Amino acid sequence: MSFVNFGGKEIISKIIYWGPSLSGKTANIRYIDQHTKESSKGKLISLSSETERTLFFDFLPLALGKINDFDVRFHLYTVPGHVFYDTSRKLLLKGLDGIVFVVDSNRNRYEASVESMNNLVKHLGRMDINISDIPLVV
């Protein structure tokens, strides 16, 4: 459920981009960043390696307008694709409101996409969350 800050009159939804490494999660966030008005977004933060692989996460805050007197914001995060960063992935799931699962379009990467989805389901299960109870876009 979205975080509602009554004092600050904000509604914030946390959206996680999940998928195998090199599937396009960061590219997706960068596209949104490049095609959103400056006044509707914050600074894109990317913690990546020298080869531009995501190490911990990417983060893009978006302002979507108002509902009544409340500012509506989305916080978009990507998780690192490698299972090596499993701890980071698990931490980023806390408080999520929706998931964008990025499937690698390369047929040779099908198994990596299936493995990544299974990893997501496993992490959600450990948090007592059924994937069918979370808004999910593939």
Side-chain angles (χ1 to χ4, degrees):
M1 177 178 280
S2 297
F3 174 73
V4 179
N5 177 351
F6 289 96
K9 297 219 177 227
E10 291 181 310
I11 301 170
I12 301 172
S13 292
K14 182 178 182 181
I15 309 298
I16 302 292
Y17 280 70
W18 191 285
S21 63
L22 299 173
S23 61
K25 299 175 299 293
T26 296
N28 228 293
I29 294 281
R30 286 183 179 157
Y31 181 88
I32 293 169
D33 179 53
Q34 292 167 358
H35 292 85
T36 302
K37 295 185 304 184
E38 289 296 322
S39 61
S40 297
K41 65 181 179 176
K43 181 176 170 37
L44 173 64
I45 297 169
S46 289
L47 300 175
S48 55
S49 66
E50 291 176 8
T51 58
E52 296 198 21
R53 304 286 300 275
T54 302
L55 289 177
F56 188 63
F57 64 86
D58 300 309
F59 171 67
L60 179 63
L62 298 174
L64 301 176
K66 287 189 176 282
I67 295 178
N68 293 329
D69 291 336
F70 286 80
D71 291 316
V72 178
R73 303 184 193 289
F74 276 5
H75 288 176
L76 306 181
Y77 291 86
T78 66
V79 297
H82 283 290
V83 178
F84 175 78
Y85 297 108
D86 223 28
T87 303
S88 303
R89 297 163 119 195
K90 184 170 72 173
L91 287 170
L92 286 166
L93 286 174
K94 291 184 188 257
L96 85 133
D97 297 300
I99 300 166
V100 175
F101 188 85
V102 181
V103 176
D104 196 312
S105 62
N106 184 331
R107 285 183 163 201
N108 296 331
R109 301 275 297 147
Y110 173 78
E111 289 301 322
S113 294
V114 170
E115 180 184 331
S116 184
M117 178 60 83
N118 289 338
N119 183 260
L120 172 61
V121 170
K122 176 185 81 171
H123 281 305
L124 291 173
R126 288 181 178 161
M127 299 168 63
D128 291 325
I129 299 171
N130 187 316
I131 194 164
S132 63
D133 295 334
I134 298 287
L136 172 69
V137 174
V138 177

